[in-house]
């Protein structure tokens, strides 16, 4: 069982930055692939970024060069640094862990970017 708690969302103007955090409970955090996804009103949930246990990363084309995913295994935490935010980044952001048994999701944190 993995529990995930996101924090760090909020409201910013276009061009601003936010840093999201996701604290994970449970053992073996450092072996997990971790990721962030988002869902805007009326749209499907989309993957934003992922990070492997060894630190390899990948990003959606829409956020490449602006968002950075990272992890601190000592703190069981994964981060999403979001720079140069755009109004189209407005969404609920979710942390997730895909495992062989199940995919675990956090409760989500709202990010609102105003123009």
């Amino acid at each position: 069982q993995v529990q995930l708690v996101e924090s760090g969302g909020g409201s910013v103007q276009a061009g601003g930055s936010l840093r999201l955090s996701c604290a994970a409970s449970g053992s073996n955090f450092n072996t997990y692939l971790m990721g962030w996804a988002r869902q805007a009103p009326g749209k499907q949930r989309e993957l934003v970024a992922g990070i492997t246990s060894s630190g390899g990363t990948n990003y959606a084309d829409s956020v490449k060069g602006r968002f950075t995913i990272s992890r601190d295994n000592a703190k069981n935490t994964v981060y999403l640094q979001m720079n140069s935010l755009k109004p189209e980044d407005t969404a609920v952001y979710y942390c997730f862990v895909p495992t062989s048994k199940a995919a675990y999701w956090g409760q989500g944190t709202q990010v609102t970017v105003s123009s």
Side-chain angles (χ1 to χ4, degrees):
Q1 186 77 19
V2 177
Q3 292 184 325
L4 305 169
V5 179
E6 301 101 334
S7 61
S11 298
V12 295
Q13 291 191 327
S17 298
L18 284 173
R19 188 193 196 201
L20 306 183
S21 299
C22 173
S25 66
S27 58
N28 302 317
F29 171 83
N30 61 332
T31 67
Y32 295 149
L33 168 67
M34 303 284 297
W36 288 94
R38 66 186 181 187
Q39 187 165 19
K43 295 188 177 181
Q44 289 189 330
R45 191 171 296 189
E46 64 169 340
L47 300 182
V48 173
I51 185 166
T52 67
S53 57
S54 59
T57 59
N58 60 16
Y59 299 92
D61 287 344
S62 57
V63 306
K64 280 181 182 176
R66 300 189 297 121
F67 290 11
T68 302
I69 188 171
S70 61
R71 65 192 297 161
D72 185 336
N73 290 333
K75 296 182 178 179
N76 279 16
T77 300
V78 63
Y79 304 97
L80 187 68
Q81 178 67 45
M82 305 185 295
N83 299 328
S84 301
L85 282 161
K86 304 175 181 180
E88 52 263 43
D89 294 318
T90 295
V92 178
Y93 284 71
Y94 298 90
C95 173
F96 70 93
V97 177
T99 72
S100 59
K101 294 183 178 180
Y104 298 95
W105 293 83
Q107 82 287 353
T109 185
Q110 177 69 45
V111 171
T112 302
V113 185
S114 58
S115 57

